[in-house]
Amino acid sequence: SHAFAARLASRDVTVAEWCLLRALYAREPLAPSRLADEMGVTRGAITRLADRLIVKGLLVRTASAEDGRAQTLALTEGG
């Protein structure tokens, strides 16, 4: 696991961030609450991870057209 973490670190990604990216890989955009449930973490943890990945250009957060409070997360091309 140390070697895996080191390889991720060389790409400026933590293991926790990679887990979120992997959870979204080859899937439709998902609500943060659903990701939190699937990953077994808090919604706050998903928000913090997503914020970091958005800054890194690996993730995008989109507001729902029907309900401005609802959001989804999806990988970018780089993610």
Side-chain angles (χ1 to χ4, degrees):
S1 67
H2 178 68
F4 181 66
R7 285 194 319 186
L8 290 175
S10 72
R11 297 172 191 243
D12 193 30
V13 174
T14 67
V15 172
E17 292 169 344
W18 179 85
C19 289
L20 178 66
L21 294 171
R22 182 64 186 103
L24 286 169
Y25 181 74
R27 295 179 75 178
E28 295 294 320
L30 290 177
S33 59
R34 182 159 175 207
L35 279 168
D37 291 343
E38 288 183 8
M39 293 177 65
V41 298
T42 66
R43 292 176 184 182
I46 293 294
T47 298
R48 288 186 296 278
L49 287 170
D51 288 347
R52 293 193 322 236
L53 290 166
I54 289 166
V55 168
K56 294 176 184 183
L58 302 175
L59 199 69
V60 63
R61 180 184 290 126
T62 305
S64 168
E66 296 84 38
D67 180 357
R69 297 170 296 165
Q71 299 178 349
T72 58
L73 298 172
L75 296 179
T76 63
E77 186 68 30

